[in-house]
Amino acid sequence: MRVLVTGGAGFIGSHVVDVLLAAGIQVRVLDALLPDVHRRARGPEAPGSDTSGTSDADLASLAGLAGLDPRAQLQVGDVRDAETVRAALDGVDAVCHQAAMVGMGVDLADLPAYVAHNDLGTAVLLAEMARAGLHRLVLASSMVVYGEGAYRCPAHGPVRPRPRQEPDLAAGRFDPRCPTCGQPVEPRPVTEDAPMDPRSVYAATKLAQENLAAAWAAASGGTVIALRYHNVYGPRMPRDTPYAGVASLFRSALERGGRPAVFEDGGQLRDFVHVTDVARANLLALRWPEAPARRLSAFNIGSGRPHSVGEMARALCTAFGAQPPRITGEFRAGDVRHVFASSARAGQALGYTATVGFGPGIAEFAHAPLRA
């Protein structure tokens, strides 16, 4: 079996490559080596990058800078370019689509870039898969498609809180309340059946990826397994970039000799899942024998145990040997309060269970290498 991993030189993608290679699968990687993720790597410019004139030694050097296993075949190029994608798909049996612009970004000036990389790139990939007669796709989705997680009101049962308002946030009232009675609500694990409610540009593009893939599956007879990653952390996260996850931002602050700055009161609940568990979920999805044709199947990929952002920051500081984090009280528009996973469906269908516990995982991450 040969699998194309788009974004395979990135944080999560490179771990997916490792797991696939260890399982005896041949791997081709298509990655644009964007500078926001690969600050030292300087490959051909994208989109439409052409590596036909790039020597094997130069490709090996680029792969080494990206931390990519040399057994993977690296093609430097942009998933938005049809000819590049066509060449990358030649001879492969399935695709793990990891390539994406991630994170909250800087401001709305990032909106065109998010749509171009995430949605146009996915559309080009799907069109070329249809042209090549390829029918199996594992899609890296995200928990951000849910917006807020699930909540239960003692009086009214399951409820969907309204978006938090800036006056409440500025006054330190961070927790959502029941939209009917205004009383406090209890956060609950979110399941794949929860309504979609994207509340950021990134979230909107991830939901669009799922919708595009679902339309492709229905029209082509293909299968899509969308893995909704929760808060992924671990070795090879990019350092010092506004497009990284919160774990990387905290580690970057520690490496600079500072203290992590925790927004709100630090009580935001998340599901922090180790990148090796996420990578293994991709292998399980590729091997899922019961993947239904002409539809998209979505699975939460988390650890199954929520922890607060403040708890994660404190554990990271302790493991790093640093002073405790700063609780700032600051907030960002589009952030949600609590969202953590039920991964029961992935367990039942794919056989997925997280294996890296929060304590050992954070202790390892405190000293694991980040990407320059």
Side-chain angles (χ1 to χ4, degrees):
M1 184 180 194
R2 177 175 292 166
V3 174
L4 173 67
V5 181
T6 69
F11 162 47
I12 296 175
S14 65
H15 285 276
V16 172
V17 169
D18 290 347
V19 167
L20 298 187
L21 288 170
I25 294 172
Q26 296 181 0
V27 177
R28 179 178 295 150
V29 168
L30 175 62
D31 200 299
L33 299 182
L34 297 176
D36 286 323
V37 182
H38 307 279
R39 291 186 182 274
R40 295 181 298 162
R42 289 294 179 267
E45 295 300 320
S49 299
D50 180 8
T51 57
S52 58
T54 306
S55 71
D56 290 343
D58 287 340
L59 283 174
S61 176
L62 289 170
L65 289 172
L68 186 63
D69 190 304
R71 293 176 294 169
Q73 178 189 359
L74 173 62
Q75 179 177 333
V76 181
D78 198 299
V79 74
R80 295 171 291 178
D81 182 73
E83 289 187 8
T84 298
V85 173
R86 196 171 306 153
L89 291 173
D90 184 39
V92 306
D93 303 298
V95 177
C96 277
H97 184 32
Q98 309 293 319
M101 189 171 175
V102 302
M104 288 291 289
V106 177
D107 53 38
L108 286 176
D110 282 330
L111 201 157
Y114 273 101
V115 173
H117 285 289
N118 297 359
D119 299 336
L120 175 59
T122 298
V124 170
L125 174 66
L126 294 171
E128 292 304 319
M129 287 182 68
R131 181 195 295 266
L134 288 171
H135 295 100
R136 194 167 187 91
L137 174 69
V138 176
L139 174 67
S141 187
S142 172
M143 56 86 176
V144 295
V145 299
Y146 298 119
E148 284 284 356
Y151 292 87
R152 182 175 182 81
C153 172
H156 297 99
V159 294
R160 295 284 299 170
R162 301 185 182 95
R164 299 184 297 170
Q165 300 301 305
E166 187 166 337
D168 288 330
L169 296 173
R173 295 188 292 269
F174 300 120
D175 283 300
R177 290 181 172 263
C178 176
T180 301
C181 65
Q183 294 303 305
V185 289
E186 177 190 5
R188 304 291 297 164
V190 66
T191 68
E192 294 85 351
D193 298 324
M196 302 292 97
D197 187 16
R199 298 189 181 184
S200 68
V201 169
Y202 172 58
T205 64
K206 295 309 285 185
L207 180 56
Q209 282 185 313
E210 288 197 17
N211 289 335
L212 289 167
W216 167 84
S220 70
T223 66
V224 182
I225 300 97
L227 303 179
R228 292 174 181 163
Y229 303 158
H230 282 248
N231 288 71
V232 188
Y233 73 95
R236 306 179 201 159
M237 291 193 86
R239 177 189 300 129
D240 293 326
T241 168
Y243 303 98
V246 66
S248 177
L249 297 176
F250 290 169
R251 258 298 306 278
S252 295
L254 290 169
E255 289 204 354
R256 293 193 303 269
R259 297 162 61 195
V262 179
F263 281 14
E264 301 186 16
D265 60 359
Q268 311 94 303
L269 290 175
R270 297 290 187 269
D271 188 336
F272 296 101
V273 58
H274 197 272
V275 66
T276 56
D277 283 325
V278 169
R280 191 166 44 80
N282 278 265
L283 175 62
L284 293 170
L286 279 171
R287 288 178 164 175
W288 185 30
E290 300 174 16
R294 300 191 181 278
R295 58 168 285 191
L296 178 146
S297 302
F299 297 101
N300 287 328
I301 303 299
S303 72
R305 294 181 179 273
H307 295 271
S308 73
V309 173
E311 182 183 0
M312 191 272 285
R314 289 189 294 272
L316 192 56
C317 288
T318 298
F320 196 84
Q323 295 296 311
R326 295 185 299 111
I327 308 298
T328 69
E330 298 176 54
F331 56 88
R332 296 184 301 183
D335 274 353
V336 297
R337 181 60 172 174
H338 303 302
V339 55
F340 52 94
S342 167
S343 297
R345 181 180 293 180
Q348 293 164 3
L350 305 180
Y352 168 80
T353 303
T355 61
V356 181
F358 178 79
I362 294 295
E364 175 217 29
F365 179 57
H367 302 284
L370 300 181
R371 290 172 178 266

